[in-house]
Amino acid sequence: MMWWLLALPALWLLTLWLLILLLFAGPVRAAWREPVLRHPVLIIESDDWGPGPASHAQALRSLRDLLTAHRDMTGRPPVMTLGLILSLPDGEAIAASDFTAYRARLVTDPAYADILAALRAGIDAGVFVPQLHGMAHYWPPALMSAARDDPAVRDWLLAGPHQETEALPSPLQSRWVDGSVLPSRPIPAEKIHSAVAEEVALYRQVFGAAPEVVVPPTFVWTPEVEAAWAAHGVRALVTPGRPCIGRDAQGRPVCASTPIHNGQRGLGDIRYLVRDRYFEPARGHRAEQGLLALAGKTAQGRPCLLETHRFNFTGAGAEAALAELDALLRRVLAEHPTVRFISPAELAEHYRAPGVRPFAPLGRRLAAWKARMQEVPRFARLARLTGLEWALAGFTPRSRGKVT
Ligand SMILES: [Zn+2]
């Protein structure tokens, strides 16, 4: 009879663990299905480049020189994506119309020739990878509407041709909603379609091919926008890990709680990538944080897309930011010698055809699954309280920061 006394609690515990796994079936399945990368992958994702002050050309040249000095074990330099904005307002022309008609100054304008040349030099050197951020970092009718009511926006609009969109109120920086009123209003579908066609055509004219990857300004986009991008051949969309479709009454992004996973299929042939780690030296981020982000993502078998912005490298702290980026890359190569520097477009192609390199074998997949489930707080808590965490540890190899 003694064995019953022992077996009953064990059976009860097994049932409890099974119930927990069933309760979290959605996240459990999603964490298992997302492919596991074999190597650490680091991509520096840098947004908001394009028309701006002439000094930005020098900032781009400094970045190019810094990046070309590093190499991964395959001989490839680090990839810094440039989320590109393709125009600014032409304040003179808009004022001449008495603020009744929006006019743009495109990135091809002679005022930005130096910046464009520096961009292209970095692309040719293999360290910059262009991505479409948008024709503008705002929805032009929303900007015009705000400029009629808000003197600060009007001054910004007239301050060209070198103004910086970072100075606009945050809701106005969302391109794919009308943020001139809060909560934001949606943009009619036909206007979205013509705006996407226009930005893709200009991108193609400047860079010789349609954009493969898009990064929605402020990470606010709608299914209509995504469908239009897909129809124009876009193959990857950089997301913050969940969809955000507007701005609330306080101007904050309105996001669904549904998580997005790397490689998940979007509309058309689009694949999602997740960028949810940050390296903004101007906001106090140090190399250490970048390293921790890479170690965490590597344990999860995920790529580390580190978000940064041009303001780090163009403002008063530019030199310090460059030094921090240099330190980060040196330490990444020393502490993660198998790291791979690849572009988001290449990464998306890997997710499109998993089951082949660079994805990992079963034991490594189990360890990555366990590391991913640690990011589901309620599951992690229950697993710890009920001993499920201990049981899972017995089934999985130790999760390692470095994967070979
Ligand atoms: Zn941006």
Side-chain angles (χ1 to χ4, degrees):
M1 287 305 279
M2 275 302 286
W3 68 273
W4 266 111
L5 291 174
L6 290 171
L8 271 175
L11 204 62
W12 186 88
L13 202 56
L14 278 173
T15 310
L16 179 66
W17 290 344
L18 194 63
L19 279 173
I20 293 171
L21 288 168
L22 284 173
L23 189 65
F24 290 88
V28 162
R29 197 167 45 236
W32 180 250
R33 288 177 67 179
E34 180 183 336
V36 172
L37 296 180
R38 184 183 291 265
H39 301 291
V41 166
L42 178 69
I43 304 174
I44 312 286
E45 292 261 320
S46 178
D47 283 349
D48 298 346
W49 296 95
S55 60
H56 288 194
Q58 183 52 47
L60 287 163
R61 284 192 286 270
S62 299
L63 278 167
R64 183 200 59 192
D65 291 347
L66 186 159
L67 295 165
T68 48
H70 299 277
R71 289 281 187 279
D72 70 13
M73 67 186 298
T74 70
R76 191 159 176 187
V79 169
M80 176 178 263
T81 66
L82 300 182
L84 292 169
I85 292 298
L86 304 179
S87 67
L88 280 174
D90 184 339
E92 277 175 35
I94 293 170
S97 79
D98 203 19
F99 287 83
T100 57
Y102 176 78
R103 297 281 182 269
R105 195 186 287 271
L106 304 182
V107 68
T108 47
D109 189 289
Y112 312 124
D114 265 7
I115 292 177
L116 200 51
L119 276 168
R120 288 190 166 125
I123 294 169
D124 292 345
V127 293
F128 293 159
V129 172
Q131 299 184 154
L132 177 64
H133 202 26
M135 172 64 94
H137 213 302
Y138 45 81
W139 179 243
L143 180 72
M144 293 291 285
S145 173
R148 283 188 280 270
D149 299 334
D150 183 342
V153 175
R154 174 181 281 242
D155 288 348
W156 180 88
L157 196 150
L158 294 172
H162 300 304
Q163 64 268 68
E164 295 177 298
T165 50
E166 293 91 328
L168 284 172
S170 175
L172 277 185
Q173 292 185 39
S174 288
R175 171 162 171 75
W176 296 113
V177 288
D178 180 349
S180 64
V181 287
L182 294 174
S184 62
R185 283 186 302 219
I187 296 168
E190 70 277 7
K191 292 194 173 165
I192 287 173
H193 284 277
S194 58
V196 165
E198 191 187 25
E199 66 181 18
V200 168
L202 179 57
Y203 186 102
R204 186 193 292 276
Q205 181 197 324
V206 176
F207 297 104
E212 290 181 285
V213 182
V214 290
V215 187
T218 74
F219 278 143
V220 171
W221 82 103
T222 63
E224 286 79 18
V225 180
E226 187 174 323
W229 279 327
H232 282 87
V234 169
R235 293 172 68 76
L237 203 165
V238 178
T239 76
R242 54 198 183 136
C244 306
I245 56 161
R247 296 280 189 154
D248 69 12
Q250 280 71 46
R252 295 171 303 208
V254 177
C255 303
S257 55
T258 333
I260 288 176
H261 301 283
N262 287 293
Q264 188 178 323
R265 195 169 184 161
L267 297 176
D269 203 22
I270 279 180
R271 295 290 171 147
Y272 295 133
L273 298 175
V274 176
R275 184 215 280 180
D276 58 2
R277 295 293 185 270
Y278 307 93
F279 182 68
E280 311 271 22
R283 292 183 178 153
H285 295 172
R286 320 296 298 186
E288 191 62 38
Q289 273 134 311
L291 275 165
L292 279 173
L294 178 62
K297 289 291 184 184
T298 300
Q300 295 172 345
R302 287 172 167 151
C304 182
L305 276 66
L306 272 187
E307 176 169 309
T308 191
H309 290 85
R310 70 173 178 183
F311 66 75
N312 293 285
F313 306 102
T314 58
E319 246 178 71
L322 285 171
E324 210 58 42
L325 178 60
D326 195 44
L328 171 66
L329 292 169
R330 261 188 287 109
R331 290 187 60 186
V332 161
L333 287 164
E335 296 177 31
H336 299 266
T338 61
V339 69
R340 296 291 192 273
F341 298 136
I342 65 172
S343 74
E346 290 167 273
L347 184 60
E349 289 312 306
H350 286 311
Y351 282 121
R352 207 167 253 115
V356 291
R357 294 183 71 231
F359 297 104
L362 184 64
R364 170 77 190 111
R365 287 185 64 198
L366 279 165
W369 174 83
K370 199 159 72 72
R372 290 170 181 183
M373 291 308 292
Q374 287 298 315
E375 281 204 336
V376 183
R378 283 178 56 228
F379 176 87
R381 203 161 46 245
L382 278 173
R384 200 164 49 245
L385 286 173
T386 61
L388 174 58
E389 186 183 77
W390 165 82
L392 289 172
F395 280 102
T396 52
R398 264 172 61 80
S399 176
R400 292 168 298 167
K402 296 174 196 170
V403 180
T404 53

